[in-house]
Amino acid sequence: MKTSTHWQSTPSIADGFDAYDDLPERLIGYPAVFRALGIGTPAVRTVLDYGCGPGKVATRVTEACDAWVVAADISPRMLEIAQALRPHPRIDYQQIDSGKLTFLADASIDAAMSCYVYINVGEVPVLHEIAAEVHRVLRPGGRYAVLDTNPATTGVRFSTFRSGEPGRTYTPGERRQVHLDQPGGGEPLELIDHHWPRHTYLDVLTEAGFTDLTVDEPLLADPSALPGPNPAEATRPPFLIVTGVKK
C-alpha cells in the first residue's frame, strides 16, 4: 500500500503521532464510531481496528466493552509502540501486508473500523482494496465505520490540529498538509494526507458491497471540555464518519 506520510519507514513520525493528544478525537470522533458499530452490545464480540496506529483506539474498545480486538497496521514502528505501551490480553496486534488481512478468515469479525486510514491513501483503487478486504472478513450484518478528518472543514484550526491550509480548495486525492500539536508547546508534527470528498467514501463502501450507508458529522456537546473559549469543534464538525453494513 502506498501512503503519503512515510509511516512504515520513518519511526519519528510514529513517535510523534503517539505523543499527539487526541482529545477532540476521543471526545467526539471515537464515541461516535463506537455507537455506529454497536460496540458494547452483545452482538459485537470481535472488532477489527484496520490501521490501528499505536493502539490508542483499540485500547479504548477494551475499556468500553469485553470484546476481542484485532488491531492491524502497516507500520512496524506503530505496532512496536502499541505492543510496548498498550499490551492487552484482548488485543491481537497484527502486521498488514500489502493491505491484505491474511491472518483473518472470511466472516470472522463482528464490527470493523478504519480511523485516519483513507486520508493516508492517495489512490482510489487502493481504497477499494481496503474496503473489499474489510467486507470479506466481516460477518453478514457486521458494520464498518470509516473515520477521517472532515473534508467540509478543511483548513479550520481545531483545538489540537489543523488539516489543510485555510481558504484553500482541494481537489479529490490532492495532497494536504496536516499539523498535529505536540506536548510542551513545541513544533507541531507535520504530516501529508489526501483530500477525499464525502462522495468518495460513499462510492468506495458501496462498490465493496456495503449497504445502508450513513454519514455522521458530530459536534462537541460540551464546549468546556476543550481548552480555550469557543472551540471550533462546537460549531464546525471536525470529523466525518461513514458507516455501512455487510448484508
PDB file of all heavy atoms in Angstrom, residues 92-110:
ATOM      1  N   ASP A  92      -5.106  -8.300  19.813  1.00  0.00           N
ATOM      2  CA  ASP A  92      -4.177  -9.078  18.995  1.00  0.00           C
ATOM      3  C   ASP A  92      -3.599  -8.145  17.929  1.00  0.00           C
ATOM      4  O   ASP A  92      -4.280  -7.808  16.971  1.00  0.00           O
ATOM      5  CB  ASP A  92      -4.923 -10.252  18.338  1.00  0.00           C
ATOM      6  CG  ASP A  92      -4.027 -11.075  17.434  1.00  0.00           C
ATOM      7  OD1 ASP A  92      -2.785 -10.986  17.561  1.00  0.00           O
ATOM      8  OD2 ASP A  92      -4.572 -11.797  16.568  1.00  0.00           O
ATOM      9  N   TYR A  93      -2.353  -7.706  18.126  1.00  0.00           N
ATOM     10  CA  TYR A  93      -1.707  -6.811  17.169  1.00  0.00           C
ATOM     11  C   TYR A  93      -1.142  -7.619  15.999  1.00  0.00           C
ATOM     12  O   TYR A  93      -0.471  -8.634  16.195  1.00  0.00           O
ATOM     13  CB  TYR A  93      -0.589  -6.023  17.847  1.00  0.00           C
ATOM     14  CG  TYR A  93      -1.088  -4.991  18.837  1.00  0.00           C
ATOM     15  CD1 TYR A  93      -0.895  -5.155  20.208  1.00  0.00           C
ATOM     16  CD2 TYR A  93      -1.755  -3.850  18.394  1.00  0.00           C
ATOM     17  CE1 TYR A  93      -1.355  -4.218  21.115  1.00  0.00           C
ATOM     18  CE2 TYR A  93      -2.221  -2.907  19.300  1.00  0.00           C
ATOM     19  CZ  TYR A  93      -2.018  -3.090  20.652  1.00  0.00           C
ATOM     20  OH  TYR A  93      -2.475  -2.157  21.554  1.00  0.00           O
ATOM     21  N   GLN A  94      -1.418  -7.128  14.780  1.00  0.00           N
ATOM     22  CA  GLN A  94      -1.008  -7.843  13.578  1.00  0.00           C
ATOM     23  C   GLN A  94      -0.459  -6.859  12.545  1.00  0.00           C
ATOM     24  O   GLN A  94      -0.926  -5.727  12.438  1.00  0.00           O
ATOM     25  CB  GLN A  94      -2.204  -8.579  12.958  1.00  0.00           C
ATOM     26  CG  GLN A  94      -2.733  -9.740  13.786  1.00  0.00           C
ATOM     27  CD  GLN A  94      -1.885 -10.985  13.657  1.00  0.00           C
ATOM     28  OE1 GLN A  94      -1.020 -11.077  12.789  1.00  0.00           O
ATOM     29  NE2 GLN A  94      -2.142 -11.969  14.507  1.00  0.00           N
ATOM     30  N   GLN A  95       0.518  -7.316  11.778  1.00  0.00           N
ATOM     31  CA  GLN A  95       1.095  -6.531  10.677  1.00  0.00           C
ATOM     32  C   GLN A  95       0.288  -6.761   9.402  1.00  0.00           C
ATOM     33  O   GLN A  95       0.022  -7.906   9.034  1.00  0.00           O
ATOM     34  CB  GLN A  95       2.539  -6.956  10.440  1.00  0.00           C
ATOM     35  CG  GLN A  95       3.218  -6.269   9.271  1.00  0.00           C
ATOM     36  CD  GLN A  95       3.909  -4.975   9.675  1.00  0.00           C
ATOM     37  OE1 GLN A  95       4.502  -4.898  10.733  1.00  0.00           O
ATOM     38  NE2 GLN A  95       3.844  -3.984   8.828  1.00  0.00           N
ATOM     39  N   ILE A  96      -0.107  -5.676   8.746  1.00  0.00           N
ATOM     40  CA  ILE A  96      -0.797  -5.774   7.463  1.00  0.00           C
ATOM     41  C   ILE A  96       0.236  -5.841   6.354  1.00  0.00           C
ATOM     42  O   ILE A  96       1.147  -5.020   6.289  1.00  0.00           O
ATOM     43  CB  ILE A  96      -1.722  -4.565   7.230  1.00  0.00           C
ATOM     44  CG1 ILE A  96      -2.808  -4.502   8.302  1.00  0.00           C
ATOM     45  CG2 ILE A  96      -2.343  -4.618   5.848  1.00  0.00           C
ATOM     46  CD1 ILE A  96      -3.667  -3.251   8.216  1.00  0.00           C
ATOM     47  N   ASP A  97       0.085  -6.805   5.474  1.00  0.00           N
ATOM     48  CA  ASP A  97       0.994  -6.968   4.343  1.00  0.00           C
ATOM     49  C   ASP A  97       0.246  -6.652   3.065  1.00  0.00           C
ATOM     50  O   ASP A  97      -0.696  -7.360   2.691  1.00  0.00           O
ATOM     51  CB  ASP A  97       1.535  -8.399   4.299  1.00  0.00           C
ATOM     52  CG  ASP A  97       2.521  -8.609   3.160  1.00  0.00           C
ATOM     53  OD1 ASP A  97       3.039  -7.609   2.631  1.00  0.00           O
ATOM     54  OD2 ASP A  97       2.759  -9.772   2.789  1.00  0.00           O
ATOM     55  N   SER A  98       0.641  -5.544   2.400  1.00  0.00           N
ATOM     56  CA  SER A  98       0.028  -5.139   1.116  1.00  0.00           C
ATOM     57  C   SER A  98      -1.477  -4.976   1.220  1.00  0.00           C
ATOM     58  O   SER A  98      -2.211  -5.259   0.261  1.00  0.00           O
ATOM     59  CB  SER A  98       0.377  -6.154   0.027  1.00  0.00           C
ATOM     60  OG  SER A  98       1.771  -6.231  -0.146  1.00  0.00           O
ATOM     61  N   GLY A  99      -1.943  -4.521   2.378  1.00  0.00           N
ATOM     62  CA  GLY A  99      -3.366  -4.264   2.556  1.00  0.00           C
ATOM     63  C   GLY A  99      -4.198  -5.478   2.859  1.00  0.00           C
ATOM     64  O   GLY A  99      -5.390  -5.348   3.160  1.00  0.00           O
ATOM     65  N   LYS A 100      -3.632  -6.664   2.808  1.00  0.00           N
ATOM     66  CA  LYS A 100      -4.390  -7.890   2.988  1.00  0.00           C
ATOM     67  C   LYS A 100      -4.398  -8.343   4.451  1.00  0.00           C
ATOM     68  O   LYS A 100      -3.388  -8.286   5.141  1.00  0.00           O
ATOM     69  CB  LYS A 100      -3.816  -9.011   2.120  1.00  0.00           C
ATOM     70  CG  LYS A 100      -3.864  -8.719   0.630  1.00  0.00           C
ATOM     71  CD  LYS A 100      -5.292  -8.583   0.119  1.00  0.00           C
ATOM     72  CE  LYS A 100      -5.350  -8.396  -1.381  1.00  0.00           C
ATOM     73  NZ  LYS A 100      -6.732  -8.205  -1.855  1.00  0.00           N
ATOM     74  N   LEU A 101      -5.551  -8.842   4.870  1.00  0.00           N
ATOM     75  CA  LEU A 101      -5.702  -9.359   6.229  1.00  0.00           C
ATOM     76  C   LEU A 101      -5.580 -10.876   6.179  1.00  0.00           C
ATOM     77  O   LEU A 101      -6.525 -11.617   6.437  1.00  0.00           O
ATOM     78  CB  LEU A 101      -7.059  -8.932   6.798  1.00  0.00           C
ATOM     79  CG  LEU A 101      -7.309  -7.417   6.833  1.00  0.00           C
ATOM     80  CD1 LEU A 101      -8.755  -7.114   7.173  1.00  0.00           C
ATOM     81  CD2 LEU A 101      -6.371  -6.733   7.818  1.00  0.00           C
ATOM     82  N   THR A 102      -4.384 -11.350   5.845  1.00  0.00           N
ATOM     83  CA  THR A 102      -4.166 -12.777   5.630  1.00  0.00           C
ATOM     84  C   THR A 102      -4.375 -13.597   6.895  1.00  0.00           C
ATOM     85  O   THR A 102      -4.557 -14.811   6.821  1.00  0.00           O
ATOM     86  CB  THR A 102      -2.738 -13.011   5.109  1.00  0.00           C
ATOM     87  OG1 THR A 102      -1.803 -12.430   6.035  1.00  0.00           O
ATOM     88  CG2 THR A 102      -2.552 -12.350   3.753  1.00  0.00           C
ATOM     89  N   PHE A 103      -4.353 -12.961   8.043  1.00  0.00           N
ATOM     90  CA  PHE A 103      -4.488 -13.636   9.334  1.00  0.00           C
ATOM     91  C   PHE A 103      -5.945 -13.768   9.763  1.00  0.00           C
ATOM     92  O   PHE A 103      -6.218 -14.300  10.850  1.00  0.00           O
ATOM     93  CB  PHE A 103      -3.698 -12.873  10.403  1.00  0.00           C
ATOM     94  CG  PHE A 103      -3.854 -11.377  10.294  1.00  0.00           C
ATOM     95  CD1 PHE A 103      -4.919 -10.729  10.891  1.00  0.00           C
ATOM     96  CD2 PHE A 103      -2.942 -10.630   9.566  1.00  0.00           C
ATOM     97  CE1 PHE A 103      -5.073  -9.362  10.781  1.00  0.00           C
ATOM     98  CE2 PHE A 103      -3.085  -9.253   9.445  1.00  0.00           C
ATOM     99  CZ  PHE A 103      -4.154  -8.615  10.051  1.00  0.00           C
ATOM    100  N   LEU A 104      -6.903 -13.278   8.942  1.00  0.00           N
ATOM    101  CA  LEU A 104      -8.313 -13.353   9.290  1.00  0.00           C
ATOM    102  C   LEU A 104      -9.088 -14.145   8.240  1.00  0.00           C
ATOM    103  O   LEU A 104      -8.909 -13.939   7.027  1.00  0.00           O
ATOM    104  CB  LEU A 104      -8.925 -11.952   9.409  1.00  0.00           C
ATOM    105  CG  LEU A 104      -8.521 -11.131  10.641  1.00  0.00           C
ATOM    106  CD1 LEU A 104      -9.124  -9.737  10.565  1.00  0.00           C
ATOM    107  CD2 LEU A 104      -8.951 -11.822  11.922  1.00  0.00           C
ATOM    108  N   ALA A 105      -9.969 -15.002   8.714  1.00  0.00           N
ATOM    109  CA  ALA A 105     -10.808 -15.789   7.821  1.00  0.00           C
ATOM    110  C   ALA A 105     -12.025 -14.987   7.374  1.00  0.00           C
ATOM    111  O   ALA A 105     -12.368 -13.957   7.974  1.00  0.00           O
ATOM    112  CB  ALA A 105     -11.265 -17.061   8.543  1.00  0.00           C
ATOM    113  N   ASP A 106     -12.670 -15.458   6.337  1.00  0.00           N
ATOM    114  CA  ASP A 106     -13.906 -14.836   5.869  1.00  0.00           C
ATOM    115  C   ASP A 106     -14.941 -14.833   7.000  1.00  0.00           C
ATOM    116  O   ASP A 106     -15.049 -15.797   7.777  1.00  0.00           O
ATOM    117  CB  ASP A 106     -14.492 -15.599   4.689  1.00  0.00           C
ATOM    118  CG  ASP A 106     -13.604 -15.546   3.441  1.00  0.00           C
ATOM    119  OD1 ASP A 106     -12.555 -14.870   3.490  1.00  0.00           O
ATOM    120  OD2 ASP A 106     -13.972 -16.183   2.440  1.00  0.00           O
ATOM    121  N   ALA A 107     -15.700 -13.729   7.081  1.00  0.00           N
ATOM    122  CA  ALA A 107     -16.839 -13.634   8.005  1.00  0.00           C
ATOM    123  C   ALA A 107     -16.460 -13.982   9.446  1.00  0.00           C
ATOM    124  O   ALA A 107     -17.212 -14.653  10.160  1.00  0.00           O
ATOM    125  CB  ALA A 107     -17.984 -14.524   7.527  1.00  0.00           C
ATOM    126  N   SER A 108     -15.298 -13.497   9.895  1.00  0.00           N
ATOM    127  CA  SER A 108     -14.813 -13.832  11.237  1.00  0.00           C
ATOM    128  C   SER A 108     -14.876 -12.674  12.223  1.00  0.00           C
ATOM    129  O   SER A 108     -14.521 -12.844  13.390  1.00  0.00           O
ATOM    130  CB  SER A 108     -13.366 -14.335  11.148  1.00  0.00           C
ATOM    131  OG  SER A 108     -12.518 -13.340  10.585  1.00  0.00           O
ATOM    132  N   ILE A 109     -15.328 -11.498  11.781  1.00  0.00           N
ATOM    133  CA  ILE A 109     -15.311 -10.284  12.601  1.00  0.00           C
ATOM    134  C   ILE A 109     -16.726  -9.696  12.681  1.00  0.00           C
ATOM    135  O   ILE A 109     -17.462  -9.670  11.693  1.00  0.00           O
ATOM    136  CB  ILE A 109     -14.339  -9.242  11.996  1.00  0.00           C
ATOM    137  CG1 ILE A 109     -12.900  -9.757  12.052  1.00  0.00           C
ATOM    138  CG2 ILE A 109     -14.460  -7.896  12.703  1.00  0.00           C
ATOM    139  CD1 ILE A 109     -12.324  -9.867  13.449  1.00  0.00           C
ATOM    140  N   ASP A 110     -17.095  -9.198  13.875  1.00  0.00           N
ATOM    141  CA  ASP A 110     -18.435  -8.645  14.072  1.00  0.00           C
ATOM    142  C   ASP A 110     -18.549  -7.184  13.650  1.00  0.00           C
ATOM    143  O   ASP A 110     -19.614  -6.739  13.210  1.00  0.00           O
ATOM    144  CB  ASP A 110     -18.843  -8.757  15.546  1.00  0.00           C
ATOM    145  CG  ASP A 110     -18.994 -10.191  15.999  1.00  0.00           C
ATOM    146  OD1 ASP A 110     -19.401 -11.036  15.184  1.00  0.00           O
ATOM    147  OD2 ASP A 110     -18.693 -10.474  17.184  1.00  0.00           O
TER     148      ASP A 110
END
